[in-house]
Coordinates of all heavy atoms in Angstrom, one line a residue:
L1093 N 161.1 0.3 -97.5 CA 161.4 1.8 -97.6 C 160.9 2.5 -96.4 O 159.9 2.0 -95.7 CB 160.7 2.4 -98.8 CG 161.2 2.0 -100.2 CD1 160.2 2.6 -101.3 CD2 162.6 2.4 -100.5
Y1094 N 161.5 3.6 -96.0 CA 161.1 4.5 -95.0 C 160.3 5.6 -95.7 O 160.7 6.1 -96.7 CB 162.2 5.0 -94.2 CG 162.7 4.1 -93.1 CD1 163.4 3.0 -93.4 CD2 162.4 4.3 -91.8 CE1 163.8 2.1 -92.4 CE2 162.8 3.5 -90.8 CZ 163.5 2.4 -91.1 OH 163.9 1.5 -90.1
V1095 N 159.1 5.9 -95.1 CA 158.2 6.9 -95.6 C 158.1 8.0 -94.6 O 157.5 7.7 -93.5 CB 156.9 6.4 -96.1 CG1 156.0 7.5 -96.7 CG2 157.0 5.2 -97.1
I1096 N 158.5 9.2 -94.8 CA 158.5 10.3 -93.8 C 157.6 11.4 -94.4 O 157.9 11.9 -95.6 CB 159.9 10.8 -93.5 CG1 160.7 9.7 -92.9 CG2 159.8 12.0 -92.5 CD1 162.2 10.0 -92.6
T1097 N 156.6 11.9 -93.7 CA 155.7 12.9 -94.1 C 155.7 14.1 -93.2 O 155.7 13.9 -91.9 CB 154.3 12.4 -94.3 OG1 154.3 11.2 -95.2 CG2 153.4 13.4 -94.9
T1098 N 155.8 15.3 -93.7 CA 155.8 16.5 -92.8 C 154.3 16.9 -92.7 O 153.4 16.5 -93.4 CB 156.6 17.6 -93.4 OG1 156.1 18.0 -94.7 CG2 158.0 17.1 -93.6
F1099 N 154.1 17.9 -91.8 CA 152.8 18.4 -91.6 C 152.2 19.2 -92.8 O 151.0 19.4 -92.9 CB 152.7 19.3 -90.3 CG 152.5 18.5 -89.1 CD1 153.5 18.1 -88.2 CD2 151.2 18.1 -88.7 CE1 153.3 17.4 -87.1 CE2 150.9 17.4 -87.5 CZ 152.0 17.0 -86.7
D1100 N 153.1 19.7 -93.6 CA 152.6 20.4 -94.8 C 152.6 19.4 -96.0 O 152.6 19.9 -97.2 CB 153.5 21.6 -95.1 CG 154.9 21.3 -95.6 OD1 155.3 20.2 -95.3 OD2 155.5 22.2 -96.1
N1101 N 152.6 18.1 -95.7 CA 152.4 17.1 -96.8 C 153.5 16.9 -97.7 O 153.3 16.4 -98.9 CB 151.1 17.3 -97.5 CG 149.8 17.1 -96.6 OD1 149.8 16.2 -95.8 ND2 148.9 18.0 -96.8
R1102 N 154.7 17.1 -97.3 CA 155.9 16.7 -98.1 C 156.2 15.3 -97.7 O 156.3 15.0 -96.5 CB 157.1 17.7 -97.9 CG 156.8 19.1 -98.2 CD 158.0 20.0 -97.7 NE 157.7 21.4 -97.6 CZ 158.2 22.3 -98.4 NH1 159.0 22.0 -99.4 NH2 157.8 23.6 -98.2
T1103 N 156.5 14.5 -98.6 CA 156.8 13.1 -98.3 C 158.1 12.6 -99.1 O 158.3 13.0 -100.2 CB 155.7 12.1 -98.8 OG1 154.5 12.5 -98.0 CG2 156.0 10.7 -98.5
I1104 N 158.9 11.9 -98.3 CA 160.1 11.2 -99.0 C 160.0 9.8 -98.7 O 159.7 9.3 -97.6 CB 161.4 11.8 -98.4 CG1 162.6 11.1 -99.1 CG2 161.5 11.8 -96.9 CD1 163.9 11.7 -98.8
E1105 N 160.2 9.0 -99.7 CA 160.4 7.5 -99.6 C 161.9 7.2 -99.9 O 162.4 7.6 -101.0 CB 159.5 6.8 -100.5 CG 158.0 7.0 -100.2 CD 157.1 6.1 -101.0 OE1 157.6 5.3 -101.8 OE2 155.8 6.2 -100.9
C1106 N 162.5 6.5 -99.1 CA 163.9 6.2 -99.3 C 164.4 5.0 -98.5 O 163.6 4.5 -97.6 CB 164.8 7.4 -98.9 SG 164.7 7.9 -97.2
T1107 N 165.6 4.5 -98.7 CA 166.1 3.5 -97.9 C 166.5 4.0 -96.5 O 166.6 5.2 -96.3 CB 167.4 2.9 -98.5 OG1 168.3 3.9 -98.8 CG2 167.0 2.1 -99.8
G1108 N 166.5 3.1 -95.5 CA 166.7 3.5 -94.1 C 168.0 4.3 -93.9 O 168.0 5.1 -92.9
N1109 N 169.0 4.1 -94.7 CA 170.3 4.7 -94.4 C 170.5 5.9 -95.2 O 171.6 6.4 -95.3 CB 171.4 3.7 -94.5 CG 171.5 3.1 -95.9 OD1 170.6 3.4 -96.7 ND2 172.6 2.4 -96.2
H1110 N 169.5 6.4 -95.9 CA 169.7 7.6 -96.7 C 169.6 8.9 -95.8 O 168.6 9.1 -95.2 CB 168.7 7.8 -97.8 CG 169.1 8.6 -98.9 ND1 169.3 8.1 -100.2 CD2 169.5 9.9 -99.0 CE1 169.8 9.1 -101.0 NE2 169.9 10.2 -100.2
P1111 N 170.7 9.7 -95.8 CA 170.7 10.9 -94.9 C 169.8 12.0 -95.5 O 169.9 12.3 -96.7 CB 172.2 11.3 -94.9 CG 173.0 10.1 -95.4 CD 172.0 9.4 -96.4
I1112 N 169.0 12.6 -94.6 CA 168.1 13.7 -94.9 C 168.5 14.9 -94.0 O 168.9 14.7 -92.8 CB 166.7 13.3 -94.6 CG1 166.3 12.0 -95.5 CG2 165.7 14.4 -94.8 CD1 165.0 11.4 -95.0
L1113 N 168.5 16.1 -94.6 CA 168.9 17.2 -93.8 C 167.8 17.6 -92.8 O 166.7 17.9 -93.2 CB 169.2 18.4 -94.7 CG 169.8 19.6 -94.1 CD1 171.2 19.3 -93.4 CD2 170.0 20.8 -95.1
T1114 N 168.2 17.7 -91.6 CA 167.3 18.1 -90.5 C 167.9 19.3 -89.7 O 169.0 19.7 -90.0 CB 167.1 16.9 -89.5 OG1 168.3 16.8 -88.7 CG2 166.8 15.6 -90.2
D1115 N 167.2 19.7 -88.7 CA 167.7 20.8 -87.9 C 168.8 20.4 -87.0 O 169.5 21.2 -86.3 CB 166.6 21.5 -87.1 CG 165.8 20.5 -86.2 OD1 166.0 19.3 -86.4 OD2 165.1 20.9 -85.3
K1116 N 169.1 19.1 -87.0 CA 170.2 18.5 -86.2 C 171.3 18.0 -87.2 O 172.2 17.3 -86.8 CB 169.8 17.3 -85.4 CG 168.7 17.7 -84.4 CD 169.2 18.7 -83.3 CE 168.1 18.9 -82.3 NZ 168.5 20.0 -81.3
G1117 N 171.3 18.5 -88.4 CA 172.2 18.1 -89.4 C 171.7 16.9 -90.2 O 170.5 16.6 -90.1
Y1118 N 172.5 16.2 -91.0 CA 172.1 15.0 -91.7 C 171.8 13.9 -90.8 O 172.7 13.5 -89.9 CB 173.1 14.6 -92.7 CG 173.2 15.5 -94.0 CD1 174.3 16.3 -94.2 CD2 172.2 15.4 -94.9 CE1 174.3 17.1 -95.3 CE2 172.2 16.2 -96.0 CZ 173.3 17.1 -96.2 OH 173.3 17.9 -97.4
L1119 N 170.7 13.3 -90.9 CA 170.3 12.0 -90.1 C 169.8 11.0 -91.1 O 169.1 11.3 -92.1 CB 169.2 12.3 -89.1 CG 169.6 13.2 -87.9 CD1 168.4 13.4 -87.0 CD2 170.7 12.6 -87.1
R1120 N 170.2 9.8 -90.9 CA 169.6 8.7 -91.7 C 168.1 8.6 -91.5 O 167.6 8.9 -90.4 CB 170.3 7.3 -91.2 CG 171.7 7.2 -91.6 CD 172.3 6.0 -90.8 NE 171.5 4.8 -90.8 CZ 171.9 3.6 -91.3 NH1 173.1 3.5 -91.8 NH2 171.1 2.6 -91.2
A1121 N 167.4 8.1 -92.5 CA 166.0 8.1 -92.4 C 165.6 7.2 -91.2 O 164.6 7.5 -90.5 CB 165.4 7.5 -93.7
D1122 N 166.3 6.1 -90.9 CA 165.9 5.2 -89.8 C 166.4 5.8 -88.5 O 166.1 5.1 -87.4 CB 166.5 3.8 -90.1 CG 168.0 3.7 -90.2 OD1 168.7 4.8 -90.0 OD2 168.5 2.7 -90.6
E1123 N 167.0 6.9 -88.4 CA 167.4 7.6 -87.2 C 166.5 8.7 -86.8 O 166.5 9.3 -85.7 CB 168.8 8.1 -87.2 CG 169.9 7.0 -87.3 CD 171.3 7.5 -87.5 OE1 171.4 8.7 -88.0 OE2 172.2 6.8 -87.2
I1124 N 165.6 9.1 -87.8 CA 164.8 10.3 -87.6 C 163.5 9.9 -86.8 O 162.9 8.9 -87.0 CB 164.4 10.9 -89.0 CG1 165.6 11.5 -89.7 CG2 163.3 11.9 -88.9 CD1 165.4 12.0 -91.1
S1125 N 163.1 10.8 -85.9 CA 161.9 10.6 -85.1 C 161.0 11.9 -85.3 O 161.4 12.9 -85.9 CB 162.2 10.4 -83.6 OG 162.7 11.6 -83.1
K1126 N 159.8 11.8 -84.7 CA 158.9 13.0 -84.8 C 159.5 14.1 -84.0 O 158.9 15.3 -84.1 CB 157.5 12.5 -84.3 CG 156.8 11.6 -85.2 CD 155.4 11.3 -84.7 CE 154.7 10.4 -85.7 NZ 153.3 10.1 -85.3
Q1127 N 160.5 13.9 -83.2 CA 161.1 15.0 -82.4 C 162.0 15.9 -83.3 O 162.4 17.0 -82.9 CB 161.8 14.5 -81.2 CG 161.0 14.1 -80.0 CD 160.1 13.0 -80.3 OE1 160.5 11.9 -80.7 NE2 158.8 13.1 -80.0
N1128 N 162.4 15.3 -84.5 CA 163.2 16.0 -85.4 C 162.4 16.9 -86.3 O 161.2 16.7 -86.5 CB 164.1 15.0 -86.2 CG 165.0 14.2 -85.4 OD1 164.9 13.0 -85.4 ND2 165.9 14.8 -84.6
N1129 N 163.1 17.8 -86.9 CA 162.4 18.7 -88.0 C 163.3 18.6 -89.2 O 164.5 18.5 -89.2 CB 162.4 20.1 -87.5 CG 161.5 20.3 -86.3 OD1 160.4 19.9 -86.2 ND2 162.1 20.9 -85.2
I1130 N 162.6 18.5 -90.4 CA 163.3 18.4 -91.7 C 163.5 19.8 -92.3 O 162.6 20.7 -92.2 CB 162.5 17.5 -92.6 CG1 162.5 16.1 -92.2 CG2 163.0 17.7 -94.1 CD1 161.8 15.1 -93.0
I1131 N 164.6 20.1 -92.9 CA 164.9 21.3 -93.6 C 164.4 21.2 -95.0 O 164.8 20.2 -95.7 CB 166.4 21.7 -93.5 CG1 166.9 21.7 -92.1 CG2 166.6 23.0 -94.2 CD1 166.3 22.7 -91.2

């Protein structure tokens, strides 16, 4: 699983290809980096 945590302690665990809404649109979890921001 990919585990992504924000600075305000929101966490998502999901498969690598699950799209998450970011400020760049939907990105797969395995494409997201710390340079991205989650909506």
Side-chain angles (χ1 to χ4, degrees):
L1093 293 173
Y1094 278 73
V1095 183
I1096 301 174
T1097 304
T1098 64
F1099 273 97
D1100 68 341
N1101 292 319
R1102 303 173 197 247
T1103 296
I1104 177 172
E1105 296 187 3
C1106 61
T1107 53
N1109 59 352
H1110 203 118
I1112 300 168
L1113 188 60
T1114 75
D1115 57 347
K1116 301 297 184 184
Y1118 284 109
L1119 293 177
R1120 290 166 46 120
D1122 58 10
E1123 295 175 338
I1124 292 175
S1125 72
K1126 290 183 179 181
Q1127 282 67 52
N1128 298 122
N1129 299 306
I1130 290 179
I1131 306 298

